Amino acid sequence: MKLIELIEEHQEQNKLRNKPEPFFSFEFAARSTSLQQDRLNRLIEILATVEPMYVDFTLSPTISHQRLVLLSAQTQNLRGLETVFQLSFHKKRPEKLKKQIKELKKKGIQNLLIRNSDISLFSYDEGEYKKLKEKIQNGADLIRTLPFYDSNEFLIFFNKCREYEINCPIIPVILPITDYKSAIIVSKSENIKVPGNILNEIKQLTSQTIQTKQTKQTKQTKQTKQIKREIIFEFGVKIALDLCKTLLRGQVIGFHFITLNNEDPIKRILEGLNLIQSSRIRRKLPWRKSTDPRRKGETVRPIFWTKRPISYTLLTSNWKKYPRFAWDEVKREKLKFIDPYLQLFTKVHVSRTSLKDLGKELNSIYDVEKVFVKYYKRKIRSLPWIENQLDLENMIIQNKLITVAKRGLMVINSQPRINSVSSNDLRVGFGGLDGYIFQKRYLEFFFKPSRIEWLLNAIKDSPHLRYYATNHDGSVTYTNDEKLEPTAVTWGVFSDKIIGTTVVDPDTFKNVWRKEAFALWIWQWGYKYKEKSKSRKLIQQIHDTYFLVYILDNDFINSSVSTQQNIWKVLERLFSLEDNMKNQCDTKNNINAMPNSNKIKTINLNNF
C-alpha cells in the first residue's frame, strides 16, 4: 500500500479517536553476515509487535543493492510490514535507475525514499524551498528530514514549507543518542544539527566513555562501566522524548526513528509517548498478514500459527487465493499446504531461544517443563513455537498459564474468553473503533501419554468442550468432535460487518500443524545439543511419545463463576484426581504407580 494512503487512513482514524496519536516508523541497518542478519530479523520481529506504520533499511556501501531488495521484499511478504526502499540517485544513469525501480515494483515494493543531496533541509535559502516545492509538484508524496535535535529549527522549516504551499506531510527523523556509537555518529556528522548545550554534553559523555574503554586499571569495575552506559542511555532517551513531545505540539503527525538496531531506547521513547499500549488496536486483524497483493482480502486463519505467522505465510505461499469469509473456502478451492518438511527448515529462521534459556543441560522431563514455566513468568523471551514474549492478550490468563505449566502442560498456544469487549480495548481490540470482540477459550499443549486417559475422563462431562489429541506421526488420535469441521474462535462485530478472523480446524491440526509442532522439538530444541547427549535423547523422547492436545471451550458467554465445565475447571479436576491418586500411592509406598509424581500443590485456577 502506498505510504501516503496509510498516512491518510491513520488521520481518518485519528478523527474518530478521543485522543489522536502520532504514527511512527523504524529504520534498521542491514547486516552482511548471516549471524548479524539473524539478530536483525529477531529485532524486527520484536519491534513489529508495536505496529509501526512502515520500516526501511539504511543504505550502506557494505550492503549490496540486491541484498537490500531481498531484505525489503521478505520484510513485506513474510513479516507483513509495509517497507519503504531507500534509493540513491547519486551518479546513476537513468537506464540503471529505471531497471532498479522496475525490479522493486516486481517485488511488490510500492514506496521509494529518494535520498537527495541537492536540497539542504532546514535551510533559510529561498531557492531551496522552490526546489523542494518542485519535487512535490513532480510527484513526491511527503518529506522526511535528516536527524536533528533542535525543535525550533524543525518548526521554522515546517512553517516555511507551508508558506511556500508545500502542504504534504513532513516527517521528522529521530536518532536517539543512547550509547557510545550513536554519540560518535551525532557529534561527528556534518549534516545533523545539534544545539550547543546538547553537543557539549555528548562530548563530555563520549570522553568519559573513551577513558573507561582505554583504562586498564582494576578499579574500573564492570559496575562502574554499566553506570556510565546507563547515564548515556538515560540522557539520550530524555532528549529524544522531550523533542518528540515538543514537536507534537507543533502539528507533527508522526515520527521516523533510526534504531541503530537497538530496541531498548525506541521502546522507552514510545512508552513515554503512551504509544506502546495502543499497538493492538492499530491492527486491522488480530494477526499481521503479508502485503502480498494476493492476500489483500485475507481475513481468516487457523489459530495454530498465531505465534508463528512467517511459517504460515510460507506454507500457504503457493495458494492462488486466500479465505475472506470462512475457512471452508480453503476446502472448496482445494487449496493445499506446502509440506512443512520442504519449507519450514530451509526458509524459516531457526529458533532465537538461546541454549541458556532452554537449558544448557537437561537431566529430566522436569527440566523441560521448567522452561515453559519461565516463559509464562516472562523470564525468557521466546520458545521454539512462540516467536515473541507473552503478549497483552495472554497476560489476562498469565497466572493460569503458569499454574498449568507447573503441572506439566507444555502450553504452546492459548487465548482467553472474551465476550463483547470494545474493539478499542488495549489487550484484545482490532478492526477499528466501533465494534465488539468475541473469543472462545483455547488451550494447546504437549502432554505426557500416561496422563491422557485421566485428562479425557476429566473432560467427558463438559458438553461445551471439544478436544483433539494426536501423537507425532498421527497414528493415534483422540477426539470428541464428531463433525471435525472448522469452528470460529475469534471474531469482531462492527456496525457494517462481521469479521471472523481465527478458526480451529481439526483436519489442518492433524495433517499440517501436527507435523510442524512436533518437528520443532527436534529442529529448534534437540539439535542445539550434541548428537548422543542425554539432553538430545530427552527431547527426542518427548517428540516420540508425547501428545499434542487442544481444548476448545465453545461457551464464550458464561464466565468461570457461572459454570464448572470450562477448561480451567476441567484441569483443576484433573490435578485433583492426580493428587488424590498420588496420596494413595504415597500411603502404599508405591510412588511409581503414579503417572506424574511431581510434588506440586494443587492451585485453584481463579475465575476468568
Side-chain angles (χ1 to χ4, degrees):
M1 190 171 182
K2 291 186 67 175
L3 181 53
I4 190 64
E5 294 174 355
L6 289 172
I7 292 175
E8 290 170 353
E9 187 178 275
H10 177 271
Q11 292 302 92
E12 287 298 317
Q13 287 291 313
N14 265 348
K15 291 178 182 179
L16 302 174
R17 291 188 177 100
N18 294 327
K19 186 180 179 182
E21 62 181 34
F23 65 82
F24 52 86
S25 55
F26 301 139
E27 183 169 328
F28 301 101
R31 292 296 183 235
S32 55
T33 70
S34 58
L35 179 60
Q36 290 173 331
Q37 187 59 48
D38 190 60
R39 290 172 180 168
L40 175 59
N41 289 339
R42 176 62 180 154
L43 172 66
I44 294 171
E45 289 164 11
I46 291 171
L47 287 181
T49 61
V50 299
E51 300 299 322
M53 178 174 283
Y54 72 93
V55 301
D56 63 14
F57 299 94
T58 309
L59 284 176
S60 170
T62 63
I63 306 297
S64 70
H65 172 80
Q66 292 300 325
R67 188 175 180 86
L68 283 174
V69 171
L70 178 61
L71 180 57
S72 298
Q74 288 178 338
T75 302
Q76 282 206 159
N77 296 328
L78 295 183
R79 292 183 168 81
L81 292 169
E82 198 66 54
T83 305
V84 173
F85 191 87
Q86 295 192 22
L87 191 64
S88 174
F89 275 22
H90 185 59
K91 295 182 179 180
K92 285 184 180 178
R93 294 191 302 272
E95 296 79 12
K96 184 174 182 180
L97 284 170
K98 288 180 181 179
K99 183 178 179 181
Q100 289 181 342
I101 292 172
K102 186 177 180 179
E103 177 189 20
L104 291 168
K105 186 176 181 180
K106 187 177 180 180
K107 294 287 187 180
I109 296 171
Q110 301 183 55
N111 298 287
L112 296 179
L113 174 72
I114 307 303
R115 300 284 295 268
N116 201 307
S117 59
D118 64 347
I119 297 177
S120 300
L121 294 183
F122 305 140
S123 171
Y124 294 98
D125 185 349
E126 183 177 340
E128 298 294 329
Y129 290 94
K130 289 182 178 179
K131 287 182 180 179
L132 198 55
K133 184 175 182 179
E134 184 180 345
K135 301 291 183 186
I136 302 302
Q137 290 174 336
N138 287 335
D141 291 322
L142 54 87
I143 297 168
R144 206 169 81 185
T145 72
L146 292 169
F148 63 92
Y149 299 89
D150 188 336
S151 59
N152 290 327
E153 288 279 355
F154 174 84
L155 294 174
I156 290 171
F157 169 73
F158 182 92
N159 292 327
K160 198 75 173 176
C161 284
R162 295 302 186 244
E163 287 178 17
Y164 279 84
E165 298 182 342
I166 302 172
N167 297 316
C168 66
I170 301 174
I171 312 304
V173 173
I174 310 298
L175 170 57
I177 309 165
T178 54
D179 55 21
Y180 175 74
K181 177 183 177 181
S182 58
I184 291 296
I185 290 173
V186 170
S187 61
K188 291 188 175 182
S189 174
E190 296 179 358
N191 296 319
I192 301 177
K193 290 202 169 189
V194 187
N197 61 321
I198 296 178
L199 187 59
N200 290 335
E201 186 75 18
I202 292 171
K203 289 180 178 179
Q204 184 178 355
L205 292 171
T206 303
S207 175
Q208 292 174 356
T209 304
I210 291 173
Q211 291 173 9
T212 299
K213 285 177 173 288
Q214 292 177 342
T215 184
K216 293 184 179 180
Q217 298 177 9
T218 56
K219 64 180 181 180
Q220 286 288 345
T221 64
K222 288 184 179 181
Q223 184 178 8
T224 303
K225 294 178 182 179
Q226 181 62 29
I227 290 172
K228 289 183 178 180
R229 283 195 293 266
E230 290 175 358
I231 290 173
I232 297 179
F233 182 87
E234 294 297 334
F235 165 78
V237 167
K238 183 180 186 304
I239 292 297
L241 186 55
D242 289 346
L243 177 60
C244 290
K245 289 180 177 179
T246 301
L247 294 176
L248 285 175
R249 295 193 290 268
Q251 302 181 53
V252 165
I253 60 174
F255 302 101
H256 182 72
F257 292 98
I258 298 178
T259 68
L260 294 181
N261 293 0
N262 189 353
E263 67 177 282
D264 295 330
I266 303 302
K267 280 193 169 182
R268 276 283 300 278
I269 295 165
L270 293 178
E271 286 169 355
L273 296 171
N274 295 318
L275 295 177
I276 290 284
Q277 294 297 317
S278 60
S279 62
R280 177 75 185 227
I281 62 174
R282 288 194 288 273
R283 292 190 179 189
K284 295 180 180 179
L285 296 165
W287 35 266
R288 186 183 301 105
K289 66 180 178 182
S290 165
T291 59
D292 186 331
R294 294 176 302 161
R295 293 181 182 265
K296 185 176 181 180
E298 181 185 18
T299 63
V300 183
R301 284 187 180 183
I303 195 172
F304 318 125
W305 285 275
T306 300
K307 307 297 190 287
R308 288 180 58 78
I310 296 176
S311 175
Y312 179 81
T313 301
L314 284 171
L315 296 175
T316 59
S317 59
N318 61 326
W319 292 6
K320 294 182 179 180
K321 63 184 300 185
Y322 296 86
R324 300 190 61 175
F325 304 107
W327 187 249
D328 289 338
E329 297 173 44
V330 172
K331 294 184 178 180
R332 286 202 302 271
E333 298 293 333
K334 297 181 180 179
L335 300 174
K336 301 295 183 181
F337 285 85
I338 295 173
D339 193 311
Y341 294 113
L342 297 179
Q343 287 275 51
L344 179 63
F345 308 118
T346 57
K347 292 190 176 180
V348 179
H349 57 79
V350 297
S351 170
R352 266 85 180 174
T353 312
S354 67
L355 195 59
K356 178 182 177 182
D357 290 337
L358 293 173
K360 292 183 178 180
E361 185 177 0
L362 305 173
N363 294 304
S364 68
I365 296 294
Y366 183 59
D367 289 337
V368 179
E369 293 172 355
K370 284 193 299 185
V371 175
F372 289 84
V373 175
K374 284 197 297 181
Y375 174 78
Y376 288 105
K377 286 185 174 182
R378 292 171 67 89
K379 292 183 178 180
I380 59 176
R381 300 190 67 153
S382 64
L383 291 170
W385 304 266
I386 307 174
E387 294 180 348
N388 290 306
Q389 201 167 35
L390 192 67
D391 55 26
L392 289 173
E393 176 185 342
N394 280 287
M395 287 289 286
I396 296 172
I397 53 174
Q398 182 186 18
N399 289 337
K400 296 178 177 59
L401 293 170
I402 293 171
T403 297
V404 298
K406 287 180 177 179
R407 296 301 300 247
L409 275 71
M410 301 176 186
V411 178
I412 61 171
N413 210 341
S414 61
Q415 71 175 30
R417 179 194 70 92
I418 301 295
N419 181 22
S420 192
V421 171
S422 171
S423 60
N424 65 356
D425 182 86
L426 297 181
R427 299 168 299 177
V428 299
F430 66 87
L433 302 175
D434 62 343
Y436 296 91
I437 305 302
F438 299 82
Q439 287 188 172
K440 298 176 181 179
R441 291 185 189 90
Y442 178 82
L443 196 68
E444 183 182 332
F445 50 93
F446 289 99
F447 206 48
K448 187 180 293 187
S450 58
R451 302 174 72 188
I452 282 289
E453 281 193 35
W454 292 26
L455 174 63
L456 303 188
N457 283 332
I459 291 177
K460 67 180 181 181
D461 295 325
S462 303
H464 296 294
L465 299 188
R466 292 291 177 267
Y467 65 81
Y468 200 107
T470 181
N471 63 342
H472 73 100
D473 60 3
S475 60
V476 181
T477 60
Y478 301 94
T479 184
N480 64 349
D481 189 343
E482 296 178 358
K483 296 182 179 179
L484 296 177
E485 294 178 350
T487 303
V489 292
T490 300
W491 63 97
V493 179
F494 298 86
S495 58
D496 60 341
K497 63 194 174 210
I498 296 177
I499 304 177
T501 64
T502 315
V503 301
V504 165
D505 178 30
D507 181 65
T508 304
F509 177 79
K510 180 182 179 182
N511 295 316
V512 188
W513 173 241
R514 182 253 314 163
K515 295 179 182 179
E516 180 171 336
F518 275 101
L520 290 171
W521 278 110
I522 306 301
W523 285 84
Q524 296 195 9
W525 197 333
Y527 280 2
K528 290 181 180 290
Y529 305 105
K530 293 181 179 179
E531 185 174 355
K532 295 183 179 181
S533 65
K534 184 176 182 180
S535 300
R536 178 87 162 260
K537 291 178 180 178
L538 187 61
I539 294 299
Q540 186 71 52
Q541 177 190 343
I542 294 173
H543 170 275
D544 294 347
T545 62
Y546 270 52
F547 278 82
L548 179 63
V549 183
Y550 76 67
I551 306 176
L552 171 64
D553 188 345
N554 285 302
D555 186 2
F556 62 91
I557 299 296
N558 294 312
S559 68
S560 302
V561 176
S562 58
T563 178
Q564 295 295 312
Q565 308 304 324
N566 67 60
I567 290 174
W568 309 114
K569 295 294 184 181
V570 163
L571 293 177
E572 279 184 21
R573 290 200 293 274
L574 169 66
F575 301 153
S576 179
L577 284 169
E578 290 180 332
D579 288 342
N580 289 337
M581 181 61 73
K582 176 181 175 296
N583 291 334
Q584 294 177 22
C585 292
D586 283 342
T587 302
K588 297 178 180 179
N589 295 317
N590 188 13
I591 296 293
N592 292 329
M594 273 296 296
N596 184 3
S597 59
N598 290 341
K599 297 183 179 180
I600 304 174
K601 295 180 180 178
T602 301
I603 302 175
N604 183 47
L605 292 166
N606 295 327
N607 298 325
F608 209 104

